[in-house]
Amino acid sequence: MAQILLTISITLMYAAPLILAGMGGVISEKSGVVNLALEGIMTVGAFAGAAVAFSTGNVWLGFGAAGLAGAGLASLHAIATVIFKADQTISGIALNFVGPGMAVFFSRLMFGAVRSNPVPSYAQMPRFSIGEDSVFSVNFTVIIAFLLVAGLFVFLYRTKWGLRVIAIGEHPAAADTLGVNVNLTRFMCVLASGVFAGFGGAAFTLSIVSIFAPNIIAGSGFIALAAVIFGKWTPHGTLGACLVFGLFQALTIVLRQYDLPVPLQVITMMPYIVTLIVLVLFVGKSVAPKAVGIPYVKGSS
């Protein structure tokens, strides 16, 4: 029983960053803007969270700074794709190089060589435990992630603003004729995706490893994108996919305790192998918003 609780605890810990970033992917793509920059945004958020938490000793200031840093990088994507109608895929890929580069640059500027001297955050997200031996414990990023899923679900499907976002992602011209500002809504959704992905990056440095290093995100942004596809661009579906990916990440840790006739490298690859399998099996079956990836020009149909 203790081993099961430990596995669930680790699953939730590793799923939280994916859930936060995944919600960023959902809100952006629901509005019609592909955001492939989640990886880069998470890296910037991871650095900002660690740096501010280290400098101030306040984990919540670090978490908030991560969201702001994520929004800052996402604003470049919004300006390029929404205002200047640039190709959304190219913009996202470019920011996946810009984001980590910026994080490493500022890390070296503030703290020196980042590879030999990773940036410590020291401040840790509060945790709460169940049971005397604290086998099952979760940090507050897990709670924030689940609250964000619930909040985004209510926003998208129970409010007029959320329904407008969905309408823009499906048929922006029709939404425009009803007086909805398509480009402004898309711009704000991309900024929101940056905030959420920045939080996801901070979940690593403030909850899991307590340091910033250049490779700390290690593909989690792309796994979050896969979760969005697997979850059919819905908050609850993406949540389920992130929990599945988090489980396989947890298994890579739990299985190391046993003497298995499998190389450690193969076990470590499991989350990425599962991601590829999911993309192969579901990318053709999941139906994306009809206008996703298509810049909107007023007056076009």
Side-chain angles (χ1 to χ4, degrees):
M1 186 63 181
Q3 194 67 40
I4 294 175
L5 291 176
L6 178 61
T7 302
I8 294 174
S9 178
I10 298 174
T11 296
L12 293 175
M13 179 179 69
Y14 278 101
L18 301 179
I19 295 170
L20 292 166
M23 294 306 105
V26 169
I27 188 66
S28 180
E29 299 204 11
K30 275 292 190 182
S31 72
V33 179
V34 176
N35 191 354
L36 296 181
L38 294 182
E39 179 83 5
I41 295 172
M42 289 182 75
T43 305
V44 168
F47 166 72
V52 173
F54 173 75
S55 301
T56 65
N58 189 310
V59 69
W60 294 110
L61 286 178
F63 194 71
L68 291 176
L73 189 60
S75 69
L76 300 180
H77 187 53
I79 291 170
T81 60
V82 178
I83 296 179
F84 293 105
K85 317 300 180 187
D87 186 281
Q88 297 173 8
T89 300
I90 295 175
S91 174
I93 292 174
L95 290 180
N96 281 330
F97 290 99
V98 172
M102 290 176 58
V104 171
F105 172 77
F106 284 110
S107 180
R108 289 177 175 173
L109 188 67
M110 297 171 63
F111 301 100
V114 68
R115 292 189 183 275
S116 59
N117 183 32
V119 179
S121 63
Y122 291 135
Q124 274 277 299
M125 276 286 181
R127 304 179 68 88
F128 71 91
S129 304
I130 299 176
E132 296 181 358
D133 53 0
S134 300
V135 173
F136 180 81
S137 64
V138 294
N139 57 63
F140 269 73
T141 54
V142 174
I143 299 173
I144 293 170
F146 276 85
L147 289 176
L148 179 59
V149 173
L152 188 58
F153 180 89
V154 172
F155 171 76
L156 286 175
Y157 302 110
R158 297 293 185 270
T159 70
K160 63 179 181 181
W161 302 283
L163 294 175
R164 288 173 180 173
V165 169
I166 295 174
I168 289 171
E170 294 293 338
H171 203 306
D176 192 6
T177 59
L178 296 176
V180 179
N181 191 323
V182 174
N183 288 332
L184 177 60
T185 302
R186 285 186 167 182
F187 197 99
M188 298 305 297
C189 287
V190 175
L191 288 186
S193 76
V195 173
F196 299 160
F199 287 159
F204 276 101
T205 52
L206 300 179
S207 299
I208 299 177
V209 295
S210 301
I211 60 170
F212 170 77
N215 61 345
I216 190 171
I217 301 303
S220 294
F222 297 112
I223 294 178
L225 284 171
V228 173
I229 297 171
F230 187 21
K232 298 182 178 180
W233 287 268
T234 64
H236 51 289
T238 302
L239 168 64
C242 290
L243 290 175
V244 171
F245 291 133
L247 173 61
F248 280 94
Q249 184 65 61
L251 290 176
T252 65
I253 297 174
V254 174
L255 292 178
R256 293 178 186 179
Q257 304 174 21
Y258 303 96
D259 186 18
L260 298 176
V262 179
L264 179 61
Q265 292 81 355
V266 174
I267 295 176
T268 305
M269 289 168 56
M270 281 200 306
Y272 307 101
I273 294 173
V274 172
T275 302
L276 291 174
I277 293 174
V278 165
L279 287 175
V280 170
L281 295 178
F282 291 92
V283 72
K285 298 180 180 179
S286 298
V287 180
K290 293 180 180 179
V292 69
I294 305 173
Y296 178 66
V297 179
K298 192 175 181 65
S300 63
S301 58

